[in-house]
Amino acid sequence: MIAQIGFSILLAGVMVYAWTEYRRAPVIAILALLAAIAGLYFVWLPTHATRLAALVGIGRGVDLIIYIWVVISLILLLNLHLKLRSQAELITVLMREIAVASARTAEPSK
C-alpha cells in the first residue's frame, strides 16, 4: 500500500508536468499524460498488468511494464540525441557565419 501511494504521487507529478508543458509540446504532453494514467491504472490494479502480459506472451505484468519502460527510454534517448545533433550543426553554421562576417569587417580598405 505504501508503494502504491508513493508511485501514485510520482505519477501525479508527471501528470502535472504534462499539463504545464501542453502549450510548448502538446504531443509529448498528451503521451506523458496517457502514460501516467496507464501507470496509475496498473499501480492500483496490478493483476490487470499480469493479464495483459499473459495476452501478449510475457510471463509477468512487471516484466511487461519494464519492457515498455525500456522502449520508451530508448525512444527518448534517440530523440535527445537527434536534437543535440541538430543543435551542434546549427552552432557550426552560426560560427561559420560569424567568422565570415568578422573576416569581412577586419579586411583593410583599399
Side-chain angles (χ1 to χ4, degrees):
M1 181 72 154
I2 294 173
Q4 288 176 321
I5 292 171
F7 286 132
S8 295
I9 291 170
L10 291 173
L11 289 167
V14 170
M15 292 173 76
V16 169
Y17 176 75
W19 180 263
T20 60
E21 291 295 314
Y22 182 76
R23 289 184 192 168
R24 190 177 318 171
V27 173
I28 301 298
I30 289 171
L31 291 175
L33 190 61
L34 290 174
I37 290 170
L40 281 171
Y41 179 79
F42 288 130
V43 161
W44 288 100
L45 299 169
T47 57
H48 290 193
T50 303
R51 287 187 204 150
L52 183 61
L55 285 174
V56 295
I58 299 172
R60 300 182 305 164
V62 171
D63 294 338
L64 174 67
I65 291 170
I66 290 172
Y67 296 156
I68 292 171
W69 176 74
V70 167
V71 169
I72 291 171
S73 296
L74 290 173
I75 291 169
L76 290 174
L77 186 63
L78 175 64
N79 185 29
L80 285 173
H81 170 73
L82 294 174
K83 284 184 179 186
L84 285 172
R85 189 172 176 185
S86 69
Q87 289 291 323
E89 290 171 0
L90 180 62
I91 290 170
T92 301
V93 169
L94 288 172
M95 290 305 295
R96 284 182 188 147
E97 292 293 325
I98 291 171
V100 169
S102 295
R104 286 185 186 151
T105 58
E107 289 179 3
S109 300
K110 293 184 180 183

